Amino acid sequence: MAALSRINTSPMARWWRNVDRVTLICVGILIGFGYILMLAASPAVAVRIGASRDMFIFKQVCFLLLAAAIVIGTSLLSIRTIKVVGAVGFVLGIMATALTLVHGIEIKGARRWIALPMMSVQPSEFLKPFFAVVTAWLLTERQKRKFFPGMLIALGLFGIVLLLLKSQPDIGMLSVITTVFITQLFVDGLSLFLVAGGVGCMIAAFIGAYAVFPHVRSRVERFLHPEVGDHYQIDTALRAFGNGGLLGRGPGEGRVKDLLPDAHADFVFAVAGEEFGMIVCMFIIGVFAVIVIRALLKLLRENDPFIVIATTGLVTGFGLQAFVNMGSTLHLIPTKGMTLPFISYGGSSAMSVALTIGMVLALTRTRVNTNDSQFGPSTPAFLNRRARP
C-alpha cells in the first residue's frame, strides 16, 4: 500500500503521504470515544427533558461525521487559503458574536447562542481558531513589511473580541483566547518583561471578573471554600470517578448520567471515569497530549514564522480547552462550562475543534516546494527569537 501511494500522484495520495497520520488517528480515536460516550450518557439526559432517547445520539453522530469531513477537507488547504479562510471566518465570527447581544438566546444570564432550525450556534467557538490564524498573519506581515502596523491591528482585534465576550458574558472563552494571544506574542519574540506584564493584566482581569460577575464569584468561592455553597455537580462527578475505579463499572452501568443535567456535555469525562475507569481516562488524556505535543515537535523543523505562530496558537487553544473541561470535572480548577473536544455533545464545539485540527494538519504537512511556505529543516523561529518591544 505504501509503495502504491508513492507511485500514485493524485491529490489525495499526496495528502496521505504528507499529512501527520498519527494525529489523524488520534482524532479518529477521540471521535470514536465521543460516539461511545454519547451512547452511554445522552439517553438519560434526553428522557429527563422529555425528548426521544436517541435525539442527542442522532444529532451528535451528524456533528461528528461533519467534523471528520471538516478535518480532512481543511487539512487539504494550502497555507495561502488558510490565511483567507481565517480572515473571512474571523470577520463572520465577529459579526455573529455581536448579533448574539441583540438576538441571542439567553441561558443562565448569558447571551452566547443564536437559534437556528434544529440547533443553536455559539459563534464565539469559531473565534478561537480564526483569531489564532489572523493574529499569526498580522504578526508575520509586520516582519516582512517594515512599517506595517501588524501588532497594533492585532491588539485592536483582540480588544473587539474582549468587549464582545465580556458583554455576553463568556469569561471562560475570553480567558482561552487571551492565553492564545499572549502565547503567540511570546513566540513572535515579545520580551519576557512584556509577557509578564500581559500575565499580570490577565490576573487583574480575573480579579475584576470576580468582583463584577456574580456567577464568576460564586464558582471561585465554591472552589476555594468547599464547605460553602452548592457542590452537587462536582461532588457527584468525583463520586463517579471513585465508583469507576481502575477499570470502570462497565458500559451502561454508570449512575452519574442519571444525576447530572450536563452529563453528555460539560461532565462527559465523569461518565467515562465511572463506566470505563481511570485507565481509559488516562488514555484519553494521553491522546490529547499526543496531538498537542506532535504539533509542537513538528515546529522544531519549521522556519516559516506564520506556520510556527499559527500552529502554536491553534494547539494552545485546543489543549487548554481540553484541560479546562477535565480540570473542572476533577475539581482541579473552578467549574467552567467548556466542552471536551470531539467528545462532549455540541455542534458548535465539534465544528470549531474540527477546523482547529484541520488547520493544524494543513500547516504541519510535509512540503517539498517553497510555494507552500515550508523551506526544509532549520532552526525554529521561536528558538531564534529576538526581543521586540
Side-chain angles (χ1 to χ4, degrees):
M1 182 176 177
L4 286 176
S5 67
R6 283 191 290 270
I7 295 172
N8 193 336
T9 59
S10 68
M12 286 304 296
R14 292 198 303 271
W15 169 82
W16 179 249
R17 286 196 300 270
N18 298 330
V19 77
D20 184 356
R21 281 167 278 183
V22 173
T23 297
L24 206 59
I25 291 170
C26 288
V27 170
I29 291 171
L30 292 179
I31 289 175
F33 272 114
Y35 173 69
I36 292 170
L37 288 172
M38 206 50 49
L39 289 176
S42 67
V45 178
V47 169
R48 254 198 321 272
I49 64 174
S52 167
R53 287 177 58 86
D54 298 329
M55 181 188 72
F56 291 120
I57 296 173
F58 175 76
K59 285 187 175 182
Q60 190 67 0
V61 166
C62 294
F63 294 149
L64 292 176
L65 290 174
L66 182 56
I70 289 174
V71 168
I72 295 174
T74 307
S75 69
L76 288 162
L77 300 179
S78 66
I79 305 302
R80 186 178 295 106
T81 305
I82 286 178
K83 292 178 180 179
V84 174
V85 169
V88 173
F90 181 74
V91 171
L92 294 176
I94 286 291
M95 294 171 60
T97 303
L99 186 62
T100 62
L101 303 179
V102 181
H103 298 292
I105 305 170
E106 183 171 339
I107 300 176
K108 298 179 181 179
R111 289 183 176 272
R112 304 171 188 168
W113 298 268
I114 295 176
L116 295 177
M118 301 294 294
M119 65 177 292
S120 58
V121 175
Q122 185 177 353
S124 60
E125 284 281 358
F126 298 93
L127 287 179
K128 288 183 295 183
F130 294 141
F131 179 76
V133 171
V134 169
T135 301
W137 193 3
L138 290 170
L139 294 177
T140 52
E141 284 297 312
R142 179 179 67 127
Q143 298 175 17
K144 295 177 182 177
R145 292 187 276 173
K146 186 175 181 180
F147 298 105
F148 180 74
M151 175 69 80
L152 291 177
I153 298 173
L155 288 171
L157 295 179
F158 174 71
I160 294 172
V161 172
L162 187 152
L163 289 174
L164 288 174
L165 296 182
K166 173 185 171 296
S167 301
Q168 287 187 332
D170 192 346
I171 304 303
M173 186 70 69
L174 178 57
S175 301
V176 171
I177 291 178
T178 301
T179 303
V180 168
F181 187 45
I182 291 177
T183 303
Q184 289 184 299
L185 292 179
F186 173 70
V187 171
D188 182 52
L190 192 67
S191 70
L192 289 175
F193 177 77
L194 292 178
V195 170
V199 173
C201 290
M202 282 186 65
I203 294 173
F206 288 141
I207 295 173
Y210 175 85
V212 172
F213 298 109
H215 71 284
V216 174
R217 183 164 56 251
S218 172
R219 288 175 177 175
V220 172
E221 289 178 349
R222 281 182 291 169
F223 176 76
L224 296 176
H225 306 287
E227 71 281 0
V228 178
D230 179 15
H231 294 269
Y232 172 74
Q233 293 198 95
I234 286 296
D235 290 342
T236 304
L238 292 177
R239 281 198 302 271
F241 286 107
N243 293 336
L246 279 175
L247 301 177
R249 302 180 62 173
E253 298 300 319
R255 299 278 75 85
V256 68
K257 61 195 176 189
D258 299 318
L259 303 173
L260 291 179
D262 294 321
H264 64 317
D266 298 345
F267 287 93
V268 72
F269 196 55
V271 177
E274 186 176 31
E275 300 200 0
F276 299 98
M278 187 183 75
I279 292 177
V280 169
C281 287
M282 293 298 294
F283 178 75
I284 292 173
I285 294 172
V287 172
F288 281 113
V290 167
I291 292 174
V292 173
I293 292 172
R294 280 191 67 86
L296 295 177
L297 287 177
K298 279 183 169 290
L299 299 182
L300 293 175
R301 296 188 301 151
E302 180 56 64
N303 67 347
D304 185 328
F306 170 75
I307 293 177
V308 172
I309 297 172
T311 303
T312 300
L314 290 166
V315 296
T316 297
F318 177 80
L320 188 57
Q321 180 175 338
F323 169 77
V324 168
N325 177 277
M326 294 184 287
S328 299
T329 305
L330 292 166
H331 200 47
L332 299 176
I333 59 175
T335 56
K336 173 66 190 84
M338 194 168 286
T339 57
L340 189 58
F342 293 118
I343 295 179
S344 294
Y345 173 80
S348 298
S349 173
M351 302 306 106
S352 170
V353 294
L355 283 167
T356 298
I357 296 301
M359 288 192 284
V360 168
L361 288 170
L363 292 169
T364 58
R365 281 204 325 262
T366 302
R367 293 179 176 83
V368 295
N369 59 70
T370 60
N371 294 328
D372 211 6
S373 302
Q374 183 162 326
F375 309 111
S378 68
T379 304
F382 54 86
L383 294 181
N384 249 339
R385 300 166 64 246
R386 290 180 298 177
R388 302 187 185 95

